Amino acid sequence: MGSDFALKNKIPKNHAGSIREDHRTSSSFAAYFNIVCVVAGAGTLGLPYAIMKGGWLALSFFPFTSLVSIYTSKLLIECLYCKPNERLEQFSDIGEAAFGKVGRYFAKIFHYAVSLSFSCSYIFLTGDNTFSVLVQLGIQGNITAFWLKAIAGLVVLVPFTLCKTLREVTLLGISGAFTTITVVLCVAIYGGITYDSLAPINHELFETATFAQSLGMIAFAYGGSVVYPHVEATMRNPRSWNQIVIYAVASVSAIYMLVATTGYLYYGDGVKDNILNSISKGPMSIIMYVIFTLHLVVAAPIYLCSFALELENFLKIDTQHMSRTREFIIRVLFRSSIVTGLTLFAMFVDKFSFISGLCGAIANCMTVFLIPVFCHFKLYGWRKRSIWELVFAAITVFVGLFGFVVSTYITIQEELKPEEK
């Protein structure tokens, strides 16, 4: 039962597996926005810096990495249907189906690392961004970023506890996608308007010393695969998954290309690792900070839902094992404890950015590029595949391993870099 490189759908007709029909209520439209929201995350604003590291030629990474992302997402969802008349439920189930208990725990570790590190990063950045806005407005008073992170955790907690599954976070996905698009358009338009007033800048066609780092940073930006099984589980028509992923990843790549090209064009070798920090302070800077902070607030519950659903299934926190009222109370308490832990971590741990960055760098490459390929080839074999797919799969594994090493190296180097006085 091979998989061909042409992205033909291997999901049998009317095969919902263990997903109840009344749970498959979301449209393909909603799935599209959920994918765009979780993939085009906080890493979007660092892409001009990635191009600065590689030069203009680094733009060629985007179409290639998007093809790899589409291919592995197709493999991942096909792995859910590896058993006749049964659908695996979670990312870790795929690991167990392919490699037994070792595979389950291996996949589970990286799933949790992605979900928790990204969610914690979003809480941290929400507090920091809010503080930056208040400072620019001159109204921060005695409020510090420390307490704003606590408030950010409370804000994230509300949709996370009220939205039981990804079926309920459709509006969050739509609003998150639009906030990202809005910020990118603001960067492109406002940067163009102020371009003549900027200091002289330099551009490079190719940066030999740091070109490899650019690939790692761009590959890292195509995360989100740990959420895909839960997004697909809500779709009324799961056989449209491949098509929806193509549209979603293509849209994300268009967003990435726009912000990367304009950001590097306007600010050149002086671009900051967060493009918003390159924009002169003022009303437009405040507006963009506010809009992107909204994206962080709505994206965090999507990652957290993916994490919580697996644990709640294991702990049997559902209406099949308890009354609806008791299930709601226990779920709220359980999810509140998760957000509380993440918020306290973001508030009190000085090395938070290093820990979360390292977990994200390592786990993202594993979950996006490596685990789907290894599991799919183990479950479906390799003999019936075309030579073109075998070559592309080998390239995908190479990119995953390369990104794994480079992203880890970059994160450690950034941590060891002396602080600017």
Side-chain angles (χ1 to χ4, degrees):
M1 188 176 180
S3 163
D4 28 57
F5 185 60
L7 291 180
K8 291 180 181 177
N9 203 309
K10 296 294 183 182
I11 301 175
K13 234 176 187 179
N14 302 322
H15 183 358
S18 57
I19 304 297
R20 288 166 44 183
E21 288 299 325
D22 60 340
H23 286 183
R24 286 193 177 274
T25 57
S26 295
S27 65
S28 298
F29 184 74
Y32 165 85
F33 280 107
N34 279 333
I35 294 171
V36 172
C37 183
V38 298
V39 175
T44 306
L45 302 183
L47 291 173
Y49 182 77
I51 301 303
M52 184 271 288
K53 286 289 187 179
W56 284 118
L57 286 179
L59 288 171
S60 62
F61 289 152
F62 287 109
F64 170 73
T65 310
S66 64
L67 286 176
V68 172
S69 179
I70 291 169
Y71 173 62
T72 57
S73 69
K74 168 205 181 266
L75 299 187
L76 182 69
I77 297 304
E78 283 187 1
C79 286
L80 296 174
Y81 296 89
C82 63
K83 299 180 180 180
N85 301 318
E86 181 182 349
R87 180 194 181 277
L88 304 179
E89 294 184 8
Q90 301 154 357
F91 192 81
S92 57
D93 291 340
I94 296 173
E96 182 173 18
F99 298 103
K101 291 294 183 183
V102 173
R104 165 174 283 277
Y105 292 117
F106 186 82
K108 190 187 292 285
I109 288 171
F110 289 111
H111 176 189
Y112 290 176
V114 168
S115 299
L116 294 179
S117 63
F118 276 45
S119 301
C120 198
S121 296
Y122 288 179
I123 293 172
F124 183 92
L125 290 172
T126 297
D128 265 15
N129 288 354
T130 305
F131 182 72
S132 297
V133 170
L134 295 179
V135 169
Q136 290 192 54
L137 292 173
I139 58 173
Q140 81 274 17
N142 294 323
I143 301 176
T144 64
F146 179 86
W147 292 111
L148 287 172
K149 290 169 191 173
I151 296 172
L154 289 174
V155 172
V156 168
L157 178 63
V158 174
F160 178 45
T161 53
L162 295 180
C163 300
K164 183 177 180 180
T165 68
L166 292 188
R167 287 180 295 142
E168 289 85 16
V169 298
T170 298
L171 290 178
L172 296 182
I174 294 174
S175 59
F178 276 109
T179 54
T180 302
I181 294 170
T182 301
V183 170
V184 169
L185 289 176
C186 286
V187 169
I189 296 171
Y190 183 71
I193 294 173
T194 59
Y195 181 67
D196 291 338
S197 64
L198 298 175
I201 54 178
N202 297 312
H203 301 95
E204 297 293 337
L205 179 65
F206 180 75
E207 289 283 0
T208 307
T210 53
F211 191 74
Q213 292 183 14
S214 181
L215 174 57
M217 295 168 75
I218 292 172
F220 177 70
Y222 282 84
S225 59
V226 295
V227 181
Y228 289 171
H230 297 291
V231 173
E232 190 270 348
T234 68
M235 293 175 63
R236 285 194 295 267
N237 180 21
R239 285 175 58 81
S240 66
W241 172 260
N242 290 344
Q243 186 178 16
I244 296 304
V245 165
I246 291 173
Y247 291 151
V249 174
S251 300
V252 168
S253 296
I255 295 170
Y256 283 173
M257 289 283 284
L258 178 60
V259 71
T261 302
T262 57
Y264 184 54
L265 175 66
Y266 299 151
Y267 303 102
D269 55 3
V271 70
K272 301 292 196 301
D273 55 0
N274 180 341
I275 187 64
L276 296 185
N277 294 332
S278 297
I279 296 172
S280 56
K281 304 302 181 185
M284 183 55 68
S285 172
I286 293 172
I287 290 171
M288 284 190 274
Y289 266 113
V290 170
I291 294 174
F292 201 75
T293 299
L294 291 176
H295 168 85
L296 299 175
V297 170
V298 300
I302 298 178
Y303 271 108
L304 286 170
C305 273
S306 171
F307 168 73
L309 286 170
E310 182 167 334
L311 284 181
E312 287 166 1
N313 180 65
F314 174 77
L315 297 172
K316 294 182 170 51
I317 304 176
D318 54 49
T319 53
Q320 294 181 352
H321 296 88
M322 59 186 70
S323 67
R324 190 174 298 275
T325 301
R326 186 184 178 196
E327 182 269 343
F328 175 77
I329 293 173
I330 293 177
R331 174 164 52 82
V332 169
L333 291 174
F334 177 67
R335 295 192 177 194
S336 297
S337 66
I338 294 173
V339 174
T340 300
L342 293 177
T343 303
L344 289 173
F345 193 74
M347 292 169 64
F348 288 100
V349 179
D350 292 335
K351 297 296 183 181
F352 156 72
S353 58
F354 169 66
I355 295 172
S356 65
L358 188 62
C359 288
I362 294 172
N364 217 31
C365 289
M366 275 289 177
T367 57
V368 175
F369 300 104
L370 300 176
I371 291 177
V373 174
F374 290 146
C375 288
H376 197 279
F377 272 64
K378 180 65 166 62
L379 292 170
Y380 293 104
W382 59 273
R383 295 183 182 277
K384 294 182 180 180
R385 301 173 195 258
S386 68
I387 186 64
W388 296 111
E389 183 183 1
L390 293 174
V391 170
F392 195 78
I395 294 173
T396 299
V397 170
F398 172 78
V399 171
L401 291 173
F402 185 82
F404 179 95
V405 173
V406 171
S407 295
T408 304
Y409 171 79
I410 292 172
T411 305
I412 295 175
Q413 284 293 104
E414 290 296 320
E415 176 64 18
L416 297 177
K417 186 185 297 183
E419 293 185 8
E420 296 182 2
K421 296 184 180 180

